[in-house]
Amino acid sequence: QVQLQASGPGLVKPSETLSLTCTVSGGLITSSSYFWGWIRQTPGKGLEWIGSIYYSGSAYHNPSLKSRITMSVDTSQTQFFLELRSVTAADTAVYYCARLEASPFHFGVLAYYMDVWGRGTTVIVSS
Amino acid sequence: SYELTQPPSVSVSPGHTARISCSGDALPKTFAYWYQQKSGQAPVLVIYEDNKRPSGIPERFSGSNSGTMATLTISGAQVEDEADYYCYSTDTSVELLNWVFGGGTKLTVL
């Protein structure tokens, strides 16, 4: 049974870069069937999809965050990563990593959904 | 930006049927998914591709999607079903792919 665990610094200063790691166990991060993604949850905005990455490095990004995020994968360590630049208090959230499964094309629309979630890690942006 | 709209709260008595709605303009042409989140825990997928149940999810959970409304139905709700429920779907209003969650519905079973 695949498991994911997000980890990060806990506290980040405004304007700095938030770096998070997700460690995958019990499954292959190089599986051709899945993307790997990040989601965050804030009291004000609820759940927000951040982005998703394939083991090859192909990625999808939330358009509202695209300019500030970089995602990467280390297949040898079965880890994937998120960097969020120029953080503000609005980036304070619980950050989750997840495995994403693809749905069949439906009316020509592509969809990926989170079928396995890791425990979240809390990030507070404060000076 | 695209929004999926859910009622903030729904209440149901144990053993009765709870229905949670999710409305969105793109739902006629996109799949709806549903997540259950209990306090302090990560979300869990309970319905995918409108009406499919993942392994391990009780049969009392079902989903439908018609027009601009997707619905999660819990038939014979149990106390342990008390949680927040979120719908999730594709935003087709932008050129770049984007996926969004509804604002969540707090289900109270009492």
Side-chain angles (χ1 to χ4, degrees), chain A residues 48-76:
Chain A
E48 182 179 31
W49 170 72
I50 298 171
S52 305
I53 189 166
Y54 198 54
Y55 75 92
S56 64
S58 298
Y60 297 108
H61 307 80
N62 185 318
S64 69
L65 297 170
K66 183 179 171 68
S67 64
R68 295 200 292 134
I69 65 175
T70 300
M71 293 182 293
S72 57
V73 177
D74 182 342
T75 57
S76 65

PDB file of all heavy atoms in Angstrom, chain A residues 48-76:
ATOM      1  N   GLU A  48      -6.853  23.732  -1.965  1.00  0.00           N
ATOM      2  CA  GLU A  48      -6.371  24.327  -3.218  1.00  0.00           C
ATOM      3  C   GLU A  48      -5.330  23.417  -3.841  1.00  0.00           C
ATOM      4  O   GLU A  48      -4.314  23.121  -3.218  1.00  0.00           O
ATOM      5  CB  GLU A  48      -5.778  25.713  -2.959  1.00  0.00           C
ATOM      6  CG  GLU A  48      -5.295  26.429  -4.213  1.00  0.00           C
ATOM      7  CD  GLU A  48      -4.744  27.806  -3.886  1.00  0.00           C
ATOM      8  OE1 GLU A  48      -4.192  27.992  -2.788  1.00  0.00           O
ATOM      9  OE2 GLU A  48      -4.847  28.702  -4.741  1.00  0.00           O
ATOM     10  N   TRP A  49      -5.578  22.986  -5.071  1.00  0.00           N
ATOM     11  CA  TRP A  49      -4.587  22.214  -5.817  1.00  0.00           C
ATOM     12  C   TRP A  49      -3.452  23.145  -6.218  1.00  0.00           C
ATOM     13  O   TRP A  49      -3.691  24.222  -6.759  1.00  0.00           O
ATOM     14  CB  TRP A  49      -5.234  21.577  -7.040  1.00  0.00           C
ATOM     15  CG  TRP A  49      -4.267  20.968  -7.994  1.00  0.00           C
ATOM     16  CD1 TRP A  49      -3.550  19.821  -7.831  1.00  0.00           C
ATOM     17  CD2 TRP A  49      -3.894  21.486  -9.274  1.00  0.00           C
ATOM     18  NE1 TRP A  49      -2.761  19.591  -8.938  1.00  0.00           N
ATOM     19  CE2 TRP A  49      -2.958  20.594  -9.839  1.00  0.00           C
ATOM     20  CE3 TRP A  49      -4.262  22.622 -10.009  1.00  0.00           C
ATOM     21  CZ2 TRP A  49      -2.384  20.799 -11.092  1.00  0.00           C
ATOM     22  CZ3 TRP A  49      -3.698  22.830 -11.261  1.00  0.00           C
ATOM     23  CH2 TRP A  49      -2.764  21.921 -11.774  1.00  0.00           C
ATOM     24  N   ILE A  50      -2.217  22.728  -5.948  1.00  0.00           N
ATOM     25  CA  ILE A  50      -1.049  23.560  -6.235  1.00  0.00           C
ATOM     26  C   ILE A  50      -0.410  23.147  -7.558  1.00  0.00           C
ATOM     27  O   ILE A  50      -0.110  23.980  -8.413  1.00  0.00           O
ATOM     28  CB  ILE A  50      -0.007  23.458  -5.107  1.00  0.00           C
ATOM     29  CG1 ILE A  50      -0.589  23.957  -3.793  1.00  0.00           C
ATOM     30  CG2 ILE A  50       1.266  24.215  -5.480  1.00  0.00           C
ATOM     31  CD1 ILE A  50       0.295  23.690  -2.582  1.00  0.00           C
ATOM     32  N   GLY A  51      -0.179  21.864  -7.717  1.00  0.00           N
ATOM     33  CA  GLY A  51       0.471  21.400  -8.932  1.00  0.00           C
ATOM     34  C   GLY A  51       0.712  19.910  -8.872  1.00  0.00           C
ATOM     35  O   GLY A  51       0.632  19.294  -7.817  1.00  0.00           O
ATOM     36  N   SER A  52       1.021  19.339 -10.038  1.00  0.00           N
ATOM     37  CA  SER A  52       1.254  17.903 -10.126  1.00  0.00           C
ATOM     38  C   SER A  52       2.396  17.647 -11.078  1.00  0.00           C
ATOM     39  O   SER A  52       2.551  18.351 -12.079  1.00  0.00           O
ATOM     40  CB  SER A  52      -0.006  17.187 -10.628  1.00  0.00           C
ATOM     41  OG  SER A  52      -1.113  17.500  -9.820  1.00  0.00           O
ATOM     42  N   ILE A  53       3.191  16.595 -10.795  1.00  0.00           N
ATOM     43  CA  ILE A  53       4.368  16.303 -11.597  1.00  0.00           C
ATOM     44  C   ILE A  53       4.444  14.815 -11.882  1.00  0.00           C
ATOM     45  O   ILE A  53       4.090  13.985 -11.043  1.00  0.00           O
ATOM     46  CB  ILE A  53       5.643  16.822 -10.888  1.00  0.00           C
ATOM     47  CG1 ILE A  53       6.862  16.715 -11.803  1.00  0.00           C
ATOM     48  CG2 ILE A  53       5.867  16.110  -9.550  1.00  0.00           C
ATOM     49  CD1 ILE A  53       8.067  17.506 -11.325  1.00  0.00           C
ATOM     50  N   TYR A  54       4.915  14.477 -13.076  1.00  0.00           N
ATOM     51  CA  TYR A  54       5.147  13.102 -13.496  1.00  0.00           C
ATOM     52  C   TYR A  54       6.598  12.763 -13.192  1.00  0.00           C
ATOM     53  O   TYR A  54       7.443  13.667 -13.055  1.00  0.00           O
ATOM     54  CB  TYR A  54       4.872  13.009 -14.994  1.00  0.00           C
ATOM     55  CG  TYR A  54       4.649  11.645 -15.554  1.00  0.00           C
ATOM     56  CD1 TYR A  54       3.692  10.785 -15.027  1.00  0.00           C
ATOM     57  CD2 TYR A  54       5.382  11.208 -16.655  1.00  0.00           C
ATOM     58  CE1 TYR A  54       3.476   9.541 -15.571  1.00  0.00           C
ATOM     59  CE2 TYR A  54       5.168   9.958 -17.216  1.00  0.00           C
ATOM     60  CZ  TYR A  54       4.203   9.125 -16.672  1.00  0.00           C
ATOM     61  OH  TYR A  54       3.983   7.895 -17.216  1.00  0.00           O
ATOM     62  N   TYR A  55       6.912  11.483 -13.106  1.00  0.00           N
ATOM     63  CA  TYR A  55       8.282  11.117 -12.737  1.00  0.00           C
ATOM     64  C   TYR A  55       9.305  11.611 -13.750  1.00  0.00           C
ATOM     65  O   TYR A  55      10.467  11.827 -13.423  1.00  0.00           O
ATOM     66  CB  TYR A  55       8.399   9.609 -12.543  1.00  0.00           C
ATOM     67  CG  TYR A  55       8.404   8.797 -13.830  1.00  0.00           C
ATOM     68  CD1 TYR A  55       9.614   8.483 -14.452  1.00  0.00           C
ATOM     69  CD2 TYR A  55       7.233   8.335 -14.402  1.00  0.00           C
ATOM     70  CE1 TYR A  55       9.641   7.738 -15.609  1.00  0.00           C
ATOM     71  CE2 TYR A  55       7.239   7.592 -15.558  1.00  0.00           C
ATOM     72  CZ  TYR A  55       8.445   7.292 -16.172  1.00  0.00           C
ATOM     73  OH  TYR A  55       8.463   6.556 -17.318  1.00  0.00           O
ATOM     74  N   SER A  56       8.850  11.847 -14.987  1.00  0.00           N
ATOM     75  CA  SER A  56       9.752  12.350 -16.032  1.00  0.00           C
ATOM     76  C   SER A  56      10.044  13.834 -15.894  1.00  0.00           C
ATOM     77  O   SER A  56      10.939  14.368 -16.548  1.00  0.00           O
ATOM     78  CB  SER A  56       9.141  12.101 -17.398  1.00  0.00           C
ATOM     79  OG  SER A  56       7.939  12.859 -17.531  1.00  0.00           O
ATOM     80  N   GLY A  57       9.230  14.510 -15.066  1.00  0.00           N
ATOM     81  CA  GLY A  57       9.392  15.945 -14.895  1.00  0.00           C
ATOM     82  C   GLY A  57       8.293  16.776 -15.524  1.00  0.00           C
ATOM     83  O   GLY A  57       8.183  17.973 -15.242  1.00  0.00           O
ATOM     84  N   SER A  58       7.473  16.169 -16.362  1.00  0.00           N
ATOM     85  CA  SER A  58       6.321  16.897 -16.921  1.00  0.00           C
ATOM     86  C   SER A  58       5.413  17.328 -15.781  1.00  0.00           C
ATOM     87  O   SER A  58       5.209  16.573 -14.834  1.00  0.00           O
ATOM     88  CB  SER A  58       5.544  16.008 -17.878  1.00  0.00           C
ATOM     89  OG  SER A  58       6.337  15.616 -18.961  1.00  0.00           O
ATOM     90  N   ALA A  59       4.862  18.537 -15.889  1.00  0.00           N
ATOM     91  CA  ALA A  59       4.102  19.059 -14.752  1.00  0.00           C
ATOM     92  C   ALA A  59       2.928  19.913 -15.175  1.00  0.00           C
ATOM     93  O   ALA A  59       2.924  20.491 -16.273  1.00  0.00           O
ATOM     94  CB  ALA A  59       5.029  19.859 -13.842  1.00  0.00           C
ATOM     95  N   TYR A  60       1.947  19.973 -14.303  1.00  0.00           N
ATOM     96  CA  TYR A  60       0.830  20.911 -14.401  1.00  0.00           C
ATOM     97  C   TYR A  60       0.878  21.801 -13.168  1.00  0.00           C
ATOM     98  O   TYR A  60       1.204  21.328 -12.082  1.00  0.00           O
ATOM     99  CB  TYR A  60      -0.515  20.169 -14.428  1.00  0.00           C
ATOM    100  CG  TYR A  60      -0.725  19.265 -15.611  1.00  0.00           C
ATOM    101  CD1 TYR A  60      -0.690  17.884 -15.465  1.00  0.00           C
ATOM    102  CD2 TYR A  60      -0.986  19.790 -16.866  1.00  0.00           C
ATOM    103  CE1 TYR A  60      -0.909  17.040 -16.543  1.00  0.00           C
ATOM    104  CE2 TYR A  60      -1.204  18.957 -17.955  1.00  0.00           C
ATOM    105  CZ  TYR A  60      -1.160  17.577 -17.787  1.00  0.00           C
ATOM    106  OH  TYR A  60      -1.369  16.757 -18.855  1.00  0.00           O
ATOM    107  N   HIS A  61       0.540  23.093 -13.362  1.00  0.00           N
ATOM    108  CA  HIS A  61       0.598  24.037 -12.247  1.00  0.00           C
ATOM    109  C   HIS A  61      -0.725  24.777 -12.135  1.00  0.00           C
ATOM    110  O   HIS A  61      -1.339  25.094 -13.159  1.00  0.00           O
ATOM    111  CB  HIS A  61       1.700  25.079 -12.471  1.00  0.00           C
ATOM    112  CG  HIS A  61       3.048  24.513 -12.756  1.00  0.00           C
ATOM    113  ND1 HIS A  61       3.426  24.049 -14.004  1.00  0.00           N
ATOM    114  CD2 HIS A  61       4.123  24.335 -11.952  1.00  0.00           C
ATOM    115  CE1 HIS A  61       4.660  23.619 -13.958  1.00  0.00           C
ATOM    116  NE2 HIS A  61       5.117  23.774 -12.737  1.00  0.00           N
ATOM    117  N   ASN A  62      -1.118  25.080 -10.907  1.00  0.00           N
ATOM    118  CA  ASN A  62      -2.255  25.972 -10.722  1.00  0.00           C
ATOM    119  C   ASN A  62      -1.893  27.325 -11.344  1.00  0.00           C
ATOM    120  O   ASN A  62      -0.876  27.917 -10.981  1.00  0.00           O
ATOM    121  CB  ASN A  62      -2.540  26.129  -9.228  1.00  0.00           C
ATOM    122  CG  ASN A  62      -3.781  26.941  -8.946  1.00  0.00           C
ATOM    123  OD1 ASN A  62      -4.034  27.962  -9.591  1.00  0.00           O
ATOM    124  ND2 ASN A  62      -4.547  26.509  -7.973  1.00  0.00           N
ATOM    125  N   PRO A  63      -2.708  27.807 -12.271  1.00  0.00           N
ATOM    126  CA  PRO A  63      -2.353  29.070 -12.942  1.00  0.00           C
ATOM    127  C   PRO A  63      -2.116  30.229 -11.983  1.00  0.00           C
ATOM    128  O   PRO A  63      -1.291  31.098 -12.260  1.00  0.00           O
ATOM    129  CB  PRO A  63      -3.577  29.338 -13.834  1.00  0.00           C
ATOM    130  CG  PRO A  63      -4.146  27.984 -14.099  1.00  0.00           C
ATOM    131  CD  PRO A  63      -3.916  27.208 -12.833  1.00  0.00           C
ATOM    132  N   SER A  64      -2.805  30.233 -10.858  1.00  0.00           N
ATOM    133  CA  SER A  64      -2.657  31.352  -9.929  1.00  0.00           C
ATOM    134  C   SER A  64      -1.349  31.293  -9.144  1.00  0.00           C
ATOM    135  O   SER A  64      -0.937  32.283  -8.531  1.00  0.00           O
ATOM    136  CB  SER A  64      -3.837  31.383  -8.944  1.00  0.00           C
ATOM    137  OG  SER A  64      -3.772  30.283  -8.066  1.00  0.00           O
ATOM    138  N   LEU A  65      -0.688  30.148  -9.154  1.00  0.00           N
ATOM    139  CA  LEU A  65       0.563  29.982  -8.405  1.00  0.00           C
ATOM    140  C   LEU A  65       1.754  29.710  -9.314  1.00  0.00           C
ATOM    141  O   LEU A  65       2.899  29.696  -8.849  1.00  0.00           O
ATOM    142  CB  LEU A  65       0.429  28.826  -7.407  1.00  0.00           C
ATOM    143  CG  LEU A  65      -0.610  28.997  -6.307  1.00  0.00           C
ATOM    144  CD1 LEU A  65      -0.802  27.680  -5.565  1.00  0.00           C
ATOM    145  CD2 LEU A  65      -0.177  30.090  -5.337  1.00  0.00           C
ATOM    146  N   LYS A  66       1.495  29.535 -10.589  1.00  0.00           N
ATOM    147  CA  LYS A  66       2.509  29.046 -11.527  1.00  0.00           C
ATOM    148  C   LYS A  66       3.804  29.855 -11.487  1.00  0.00           C
ATOM    149  O   LYS A  66       4.900  29.310 -11.554  1.00  0.00           O
ATOM    150  CB  LYS A  66       1.926  29.064 -12.945  1.00  0.00           C
ATOM    151  CG  LYS A  66       2.840  28.520 -14.018  1.00  0.00           C
ATOM    152  CD  LYS A  66       2.139  28.568 -15.372  1.00  0.00           C
ATOM    153  CE  LYS A  66       3.081  28.236 -16.515  1.00  0.00           C
ATOM    154  NZ  LYS A  66       3.515  26.831 -16.498  1.00  0.00           N
ATOM    155  N   SER A  67       3.678  31.171 -11.349  1.00  0.00           N
ATOM    156  CA  SER A  67       4.874  32.018 -11.405  1.00  0.00           C
ATOM    157  C   SER A  67       5.752  31.863 -10.170  1.00  0.00           C
ATOM    158  O   SER A  67       6.916  32.288 -10.181  1.00  0.00           O
ATOM    159  CB  SER A  67       4.457  33.490 -11.545  1.00  0.00           C
ATOM    160  OG  SER A  67       3.747  33.915 -10.394  1.00  0.00           O
ATOM    161  N   ARG A  68       5.234  31.270  -9.120  1.00  0.00           N
ATOM    162  CA  ARG A  68       5.997  31.176  -7.861  1.00  0.00           C
ATOM    163  C   ARG A  68       6.428  29.764  -7.504  1.00  0.00           C
ATOM    164  O   ARG A  68       7.122  29.579  -6.510  1.00  0.00           O
ATOM    165  CB  ARG A  68       5.175  31.737  -6.700  1.00  0.00           C
ATOM    166  CG  ARG A  68       4.887  33.230  -6.789  1.00  0.00           C
ATOM    167  CD  ARG A  68       4.514  33.783  -5.426  1.00  0.00           C
ATOM    168  NE  ARG A  68       3.230  33.299  -4.947  1.00  0.00           N
ATOM    169  CZ  ARG A  68       3.011  32.850  -3.712  1.00  0.00           C
ATOM    170  NH1 ARG A  68       3.992  32.791  -2.830  1.00  0.00           N
ATOM    171  NH2 ARG A  68       1.795  32.472  -3.349  1.00  0.00           N
ATOM    172  N   ILE A  69       6.023  28.756  -8.261  1.00  0.00           N
ATOM    173  CA  ILE A  69       6.308  27.403  -7.832  1.00  0.00           C
ATOM    174  C   ILE A  69       7.242  26.675  -8.798  1.00  0.00           C
ATOM    175  O   ILE A  69       7.246  26.914 -10.003  1.00  0.00           O
ATOM    176  CB  ILE A  69       5.021  26.571  -7.623  1.00  0.00           C
ATOM    177  CG1 ILE A  69       4.272  26.369  -8.936  1.00  0.00           C
ATOM    178  CG2 ILE A  69       4.117  27.226  -6.597  1.00  0.00           C
ATOM    179  CD1 ILE A  69       3.067  25.446  -8.774  1.00  0.00           C
ATOM    180  N   THR A  70       8.032  25.788  -8.208  1.00  0.00           N
ATOM    181  CA  THR A  70       8.850  24.849  -8.962  1.00  0.00           C
ATOM    182  C   THR A  70       8.671  23.484  -8.329  1.00  0.00           C
ATOM    183  O   THR A  70       8.727  23.357  -7.105  1.00  0.00           O
ATOM    184  CB  THR A  70      10.338  25.238  -8.909  1.00  0.00           C
ATOM    185  OG1 THR A  70      10.512  26.541  -9.463  1.00  0.00           O
ATOM    186  CG2 THR A  70      11.175  24.238  -9.707  1.00  0.00           C
ATOM    187  N   MET A  71       8.407  22.502  -9.161  1.00  0.00           N
ATOM    188  CA  MET A  71       8.304  21.135  -8.674  1.00  0.00           C
ATOM    189  C   MET A  71       9.375  20.284  -9.334  1.00  0.00           C
ATOM    190  O   MET A  71       9.768  20.541 -10.483  1.00  0.00           O
ATOM    191  CB  MET A  71       6.920  20.561  -8.978  1.00  0.00           C
ATOM    192  CG  MET A  71       5.792  21.235  -8.214  1.00  0.00           C
ATOM    193  SD  MET A  71       4.189  20.510  -8.560  1.00  0.00           S
ATOM    194  CE  MET A  71       3.995  20.965 -10.276  1.00  0.00           C
ATOM    195  N   SER A  72       9.827  19.268  -8.604  1.00  0.00           N
ATOM    196  CA  SER A  72      10.843  18.361  -9.149  1.00  0.00           C
ATOM    197  C   SER A  72      10.674  16.989  -8.530  1.00  0.00           C
ATOM    198  O   SER A  72       9.938  16.822  -7.546  1.00  0.00           O
ATOM    199  CB  SER A  72      12.250  18.912  -8.881  1.00  0.00           C
ATOM    200  OG  SER A  72      12.456  19.110  -7.498  1.00  0.00           O
ATOM    201  N   VAL A  73      11.361  16.020  -9.149  1.00  0.00           N
ATOM    202  CA  VAL A  73      11.276  14.625  -8.708  1.00  0.00           C
ATOM    203  C   VAL A  73      12.683  14.048  -8.601  1.00  0.00           C
ATOM    204  O   VAL A  73      13.535  14.321  -9.468  1.00  0.00           O
ATOM    205  CB  VAL A  73      10.461  13.779  -9.713  1.00  0.00           C
ATOM    206  CG1 VAL A  73      10.436  12.317  -9.284  1.00  0.00           C
ATOM    207  CG2 VAL A  73       9.043  14.300  -9.845  1.00  0.00           C
ATOM    208  N   ASP A  74      12.927  13.276  -7.557  1.00  0.00           N
ATOM    209  CA  ASP A  74      14.165  12.507  -7.425  1.00  0.00           C
ATOM    210  C   ASP A  74      13.759  11.040  -7.383  1.00  0.00           C
ATOM    211  O   ASP A  74      13.371  10.521  -6.334  1.00  0.00           O
ATOM    212  CB  ASP A  74      14.920  12.915  -6.159  1.00  0.00           C
ATOM    213  CG  ASP A  74      16.233  12.170  -6.004  1.00  0.00           C
ATOM    214  OD1 ASP A  74      16.421  11.104  -6.660  1.00  0.00           O
ATOM    215  OD2 ASP A  74      17.094  12.625  -5.235  1.00  0.00           O
ATOM    216  N   THR A  75      13.830  10.389  -8.532  1.00  0.00           N
ATOM    217  CA  THR A  75      13.336   9.012  -8.585  1.00  0.00           C
ATOM    218  C   THR A  75      14.202   8.056  -7.766  1.00  0.00           C
ATOM    219  O   THR A  75      13.711   7.060  -7.252  1.00  0.00           O
ATOM    220  CB  THR A  75      13.256   8.523 -10.032  1.00  0.00           C
ATOM    221  OG1 THR A  75      14.551   8.650 -10.638  1.00  0.00           O
ATOM    222  CG2 THR A  75      12.246   9.350 -10.841  1.00  0.00           C
ATOM    223  N   SER A  76      15.474   8.377  -7.615  1.00  0.00           N
ATOM    224  CA  SER A  76      16.349   7.474  -6.856  1.00  0.00           C
ATOM    225  C   SER A  76      15.991   7.480  -5.369  1.00  0.00           C
ATOM    226  O   SER A  76      16.163   6.493  -4.671  1.00  0.00           O
ATOM    227  CB  SER A  76      17.810   7.868  -7.054  1.00  0.00           C
ATOM    228  OG  SER A  76      18.059   9.151  -6.505  1.00  0.00           O
TER     229      SER A  76
END
